[in-house]
Amino acid sequence: MNHNTPLSPRPLRHLAEVHRRVLSTAQLRAHGVTAAEASEQCRAGGPWQQILPGVFLLRPGPPTSEERLHAVLLYAAREVPPAGVPAQPGPDEPHRPGYTEAMITGLAALNLHGFAAAPPLLSLERIEVLVPRLRRLRSTGCARIVRTPALPAPCVRTGLPVAPVARALADAVAGLSDAVTVRRLLTEAVRGGHCEAASVVRELTRARLLGRPHVVDAVDSLLAEGRAITEERLYRMVREHGLPDPAWNVDLRLPGGPHLGGVDAYWPEQAVAVELDTRAPRQDDDAMWSEYVRKREHLERLGITVVHITPRKLRETAEQQAAVVRTALMASGDRDPAAYVVVLPR
């Protein structure tokens, strides 16, 4: 047998090109190649190479970034269907092997998500792959195993399962000590619209990374960046959906009485306020939420309608949020008059 010999009578034309080059021991066996034959092909100077335990590259030379990604997933996946699939795909549909309970994470995942601040895939010595905590796997070669109690739902990038941005960021930051790189990655996540600041902080908190000074500094900048972006989206929503101009970023106070709190937008004639929920999910999250609730309930007892909007809703459903605000403004005439409050710049 040589590298020009067909693997078996079972055809390979249903496989995408990379899946003809990177195969597992089980897939080779499904094509009639024994373990001994595979080892023979991987001898010194041979046409194949074993790049991870049980994973073979069916050509000489350094693996490409695409081949390394598939190899890492083949190594870490719990079950990979054999190369000859029982259900035949259509003539123009390449079969992609399933990568069960494994997904790319860390810097490689950020690269696949399109992060400009992420390094090139070929420059990464190891590719991180996320697996369930109880899997019996070890980091080896170009594969670095990252364990989690519960796998998130993967995103699909270039046909590969990839961890969501916030999770991939946390796994990347865990291995970084350079403050500039951490700040660039976190900032691009929010500024580039990949995810909200709160979801990033939530994952960093879960990974217990907020005790690192360079991470805390980057998070503070991230939250300020996220707040500014969310406010800009609120301005755009009001403008693009034809809502009347409110008083922006104001404090409300009873005449000669206590301070009622700040709101992001306020329509005095209709007594309607908008408050953006840009809380960071840290340890004091419950206390902060309780303060939000107390303030809203106090304002509503005074006859002021409070519309609570999260950054995610504002980003994904701005038209729907504008309709909610418009409805509140139109309904003001049917409500009892609100208490008079003093509106001050914040």
Side-chain angles (χ1 to χ4, degrees):
M1 176 179 174
N2 59 50
H3 66 282
N4 295 317
T5 304
L7 292 179
S8 82
R10 183 172 295 173
L12 290 171
R13 61 178 176 270
H14 64 277
L15 296 175
E17 180 60 30
V18 69
H19 300 131
R20 297 192 187 104
R21 301 192 304 266
V22 182
L23 293 173
S24 67
T25 300
Q27 290 171 324
L28 288 172
R29 189 181 306 114
H31 286 283
V33 180
T34 66
E37 290 169 332
S39 296
E40 174 65 18
Q41 293 292 88
C42 294
R43 70 189 184 281
W48 295 1
Q49 53 187 306
Q50 183 172 339
I51 54 178
L52 285 168
V55 181
F56 297 85
L57 176 60
L58 275 58
R59 67 169 185 81
T64 66
S65 57
E66 184 184 24
E67 289 166 346
R68 293 174 80 219
L69 290 168
H70 282 275
V72 165
L73 286 168
L74 273 178
Y75 169 67
R78 179 179 290 277
E79 299 174 0
V80 179
V85 289
Q88 292 297 320
D92 299 322
E93 180 185 356
H95 168 64
R96 298 185 183 276
Y99 296 123
T100 304
E101 293 190 353
M103 65 186 73
I104 302 297
T105 190
L107 289 172
L110 296 180
N111 181 289
L112 293 172
H113 280 295
F115 273 60
L121 289 171
L122 278 177
S123 72
L124 298 176
E125 182 178 348
R126 286 191 166 188
I127 295 173
E128 294 174 305
V129 57
L130 193 61
V131 301
R133 183 175 57 191
L134 298 181
R135 292 290 309 283
R136 291 187 176 180
L137 286 170
R138 60 182 179 85
S139 297
T140 184
C142 63
R144 180 178 179 272
I145 300 301
V146 179
R147 304 181 189 280
T148 181
L151 283 176
C155 305
V156 177
R157 298 290 182 268
T158 65
L160 298 173
V162 177
V165 168
R167 175 64 205 238
L169 268 173
D171 290 333
V173 168
L176 294 172
S177 58
D178 180 61
V180 174
T181 302
V182 170
R183 186 185 298 267
R184 284 177 179 170
L185 290 171
L186 297 188
T187 300
E188 184 175 351
V190 175
R191 187 178 295 172
H194 294 283
C195 60
E196 304 299 340
S199 63
V200 175
V201 178
R202 185 177 299 110
E203 286 292 342
L204 294 174
T205 302
R206 179 203 55 76
R208 300 179 180 178
L209 295 172
L210 293 184
R212 303 181 183 183
H214 68 286
V215 176
V216 173
D217 291 344
V219 164
D220 289 340
S221 298
L222 172 73
L223 293 174
E225 179 88 13
R227 175 76 191 186
I229 291 172
T230 301
E231 287 179 347
E232 176 57 35
R233 286 176 180 154
L234 180 60
Y235 300 152
R236 192 183 313 132
M237 183 197 80
V238 170
R239 183 175 64 251
E240 293 181 354
H241 293 281
L243 297 173
D245 288 334
W248 293 107
N249 291 317
V250 294
D251 277 322
L252 304 181
R253 184 182 298 273
L254 288 173
H259 176 241
L260 299 172
V263 294
D264 296 283
Y266 186 61
W267 288 263
E269 293 184 9
Q270 295 86 3
V272 173
V274 165
E275 186 164 32
L276 297 174
D277 180 5
T278 55
R279 293 170 298 133
R282 297 185 180 181
Q283 291 179 349
D284 58 352
D285 183 65
D286 289 342
M288 290 186 66
W289 177 245
S290 297
E291 181 60 29
Y292 266 70
V293 172
R294 282 195 297 270
K295 180 171 68 174
R296 185 178 63 198
E297 290 177 346
H298 192 180
L299 292 175
E300 289 179 345
R301 283 197 299 271
L302 296 171
I304 297 172
T305 299
V306 180
V307 179
H308 189 260
I309 302 179
T310 65
R312 180 175 180 178
K313 288 181 178 179
L314 195 56
R315 175 168 61 97
E316 297 179 356
T317 61
E319 183 176 0
Q320 181 181 341
Q321 303 312 307
V324 172
V325 174
R326 182 177 291 107
T327 299
L329 294 172
M330 294 174 62
S332 63
D334 299 328
R335 302 193 305 267
D336 293 334
Y340 176 76
V341 297
V342 179
V343 181
L344 300 171
R346 186 162 58 173

